[in-house]
Amino acid sequence: MSEIALPTAAPSPKEATMPHAADTAAREARLGVTYALAAYLVWGFFPIYFKALAGVAPLEVLAHRIVWSVMTLALMLTAARRWEGVRAVFAQPKTLLTLCATTLLIAVNWLVFIYAVGAGKVLQSSLGYFINPLVSALLGVVFLRERLRAKQKLSFLLAAAGVAFLTVQHGELPWISLALALSFGLYGLLRKQAPVDSLSGLTVETLLLFPVALAYLLWLAHQGTSAFVAGPTRLTVLLACAGVLTSTPLIWFAAATKRLRLATVGLMQYLVPTLHFLLAVFAYGEPFTRAHLVSFACIWAGLVLYTIDAAKLLFSASRPE
């Protein structure tokens, strides 16, 4: 006797799309991690690139970084047909004023970092980017009236103790670290309030600096002191690569933040100062004293405490009731 096949109920549209949606989300998350890793690795190995330019004055390196970034970003915007975002910024005085301020901040950040690498102070730049998340959170408390939990307050005290100990032991304020952390923290604070995407915003910022930077480079060429014109071919090529190296990781980072949770992006950002730290100590042989060990230990402890507490808060808020 043959078996009678019983009809099976067709899956509901919701059931049919659930696996597909889960696969898409997983694929996007993997892509986000790839973009974030690519961006952080480029930033993490930045000291190698700027170390190769150590013979060029920091101000000239900064000027090349601005000029070549404008050219690179212009090509990107043209290819993507996204110039309307840039035009919109120049039509909004308030937004443009905010970006004038962020332009000065990012220029200071870039210049201090270039100087730090050339002067053999990569360890200080590493310290600056380690304390940057805590500085950003502190700025949120001061300017955005955000509240800190008890463990987060303790993390600030630990970081402050680390900086204070290093200052007392070495007899000078680690101004490079503080300048990098404060300039980038303030930059992030202002950019957060500016209604403009990362690509258009960076284009406007570099465009605002472009006339001054180009005039300075032309003046150097006229004086015969331009490393780009009078220097060896190696320096000319390296300086011309500044635009791609500046713009590309920022685009990758923007792509990552669209696909990943903020907690994931926040944890991965420590890869940059960690690589700077390893390069400073093991590749460039910068002195790592007992005072550095105590200072970094305090700051690392504060970062771990702050990150764990912030992650717990974020995950508990996103968990369904």
Side-chain angles (χ1 to χ4, degrees):
M1 189 169 105
S2 62
E3 295 181 359
I4 300 174
L6 297 175
T8 57
S12 67
K14 183 177 180 180
E15 291 173 334
T17 57
M18 282 179 63
H20 176 68
D23 289 343
T24 301
R27 186 165 56 251
E28 285 294 296
R30 287 193 296 270
L31 189 58
V33 169
T34 302
Y35 276 127
L37 275 176
Y40 287 139
L41 284 173
V42 172
W43 285 330
F45 287 110
F46 254 14
I48 296 176
Y49 170 74
F50 288 107
K51 203 76 169 176
L53 295 171
V56 184
L59 202 56
E60 183 177 355
V61 177
L62 176 64
H64 276 287
R65 193 173 182 183
I66 292 164
V67 169
W68 292 106
S69 290
V70 168
M71 297 180 182
T72 305
L73 291 166
L75 289 174
M76 289 181 177
L77 287 169
T78 302
R81 297 181 180 180
R82 289 178 55 183
W83 278 102
E84 67 278 358
V86 176
R87 287 191 290 266
V89 171
F90 283 99
Q92 300 170 13
K94 186 177 180 181
T95 302
L96 184 59
L97 184 62
T98 300
L99 289 184
C100 285
T102 60
T103 296
L104 293 175
L105 288 167
I106 199 63
V108 168
N109 185 271
W110 288 354
L111 183 61
V112 171
F113 179 74
I114 293 167
Y115 166 78
V117 175
K121 298 181 183 293
V122 180
L123 198 60
Q124 272 214 48
S125 78
S126 169
L127 178 65
Y129 288 118
F130 268 124
I131 64 177
N132 173 246
L134 298 176
V135 169
S136 296
L138 183 61
L139 291 172
V141 172
V142 175
F143 293 102
L144 303 180
R145 297 183 181 180
E146 296 176 354
R147 293 185 178 181
L148 293 177
R149 293 147 64 88
K151 290 181 180 179
Q152 292 174 337
K153 291 179 181 178
L154 179 58
S155 69
F156 281 104
L157 291 176
L158 284 168
V163 173
F165 183 81
L166 192 63
T167 301
V168 171
Q169 291 295 311
H170 284 255
E172 62 177 6
L173 198 68
W175 69 268
I176 291 175
S177 305
L178 295 176
L180 289 172
L182 284 171
S183 60
F184 201 70
L186 287 168
Y187 175 80
L189 176 70
L190 292 176
R191 279 299 299 269
K192 183 179 180 179
Q193 300 176 65
V196 58
D197 64 271
S198 59
L199 181 58
S200 298
L202 181 62
T203 303
V204 171
E205 288 166 346
T206 50
L207 276 173
L208 290 171
L209 290 169
F210 181 77
V212 177
L214 182 60
Y216 177 66
L217 292 179
L218 291 174
W219 180 78
L220 288 178
H222 178 71
Q223 295 291 108
T225 56
S226 168
F228 183 81
V229 176
T233 305
R234 175 183 64 85
L235 285 182
T236 302
V237 173
L238 286 172
L239 288 169
C241 291
V244 174
L245 286 172
T246 297
S247 308
T248 304
L250 284 167
I251 305 304
W252 288 340
F253 179 74
T257 55
K258 290 181 180 179
R259 292 171 171 84
L260 297 175
R261 299 168 65 94
L262 288 177
T264 305
V265 175
L267 286 172
M268 291 179 70
Q269 75 176 344
Y270 298 132
L271 180 62
V272 176
T274 300
L275 288 172
H276 289 188
F277 173 83
L278 294 174
L279 285 170
V281 176
F282 297 105
Y284 302 135
E286 293 186 20
F288 187 68
T289 63
R290 184 175 298 177
H292 283 110
L293 178 61
V294 174
S295 176
F296 271 82
C298 289
I299 291 166
W300 286 332
L303 277 175
V304 169
L305 188 63
Y306 179 85
T307 303
I308 291 175
D309 190 68
K312 283 182 179 178
L313 183 62
L314 181 63
F315 289 135
S316 64
S318 61
R319 189 180 302 143
E321 295 292 339

